[in-house]
Amino acid sequence: MTRRLIALFGALALVPAMVGPLQAEARDFVAMTCGGGVLSVPVPAPPGPPQGPCCAKGCHSDSKRKRLDRSQ
């Protein structure tokens, strides 16, 4: 029984890695004031192109790392 629970917990822990990063979007920060009013501050989305899921082999490949110049 405990082995099944451990296996289930391990599989559930891997779900965020399988899904990948979620796309960021612009939202509003809303705060209630003491007088009963509402203060709304727009928060823009982060700059840059939307990112899809990251390929583990491509992101961590050796070809993207800078080589050490031994002649210096």
Side-chain angles (χ1 to χ4, degrees):
M1 181 68 174
T2 35
R3 285 189 178 187
R4 286 185 181 179
L5 288 175
I6 292 172
L8 178 64
F9 179 73
L12 289 176
L14 292 175
V15 169
M18 291 185 288
V19 172
L22 300 176
Q23 197 168 45
E25 56 188 47
R27 296 201 176 178
D28 288 340
F29 176 75
V30 180
M32 301 294 289
T33 60
C34 294
V38 177
L39 179 66
S40 177
V41 179
V43 179
Q51 296 178 340
C54 179
C55 176
K57 291 180 183 177
C59 292
H60 303 291
S61 69
D62 192 40
S63 64
K64 291 187 179 182
R65 295 184 184 155
K66 291 185 177 179
R67 301 289 181 191
L68 181 63
D69 187 10
R70 302 218 183 256
S71 64
Q72 293 181 352

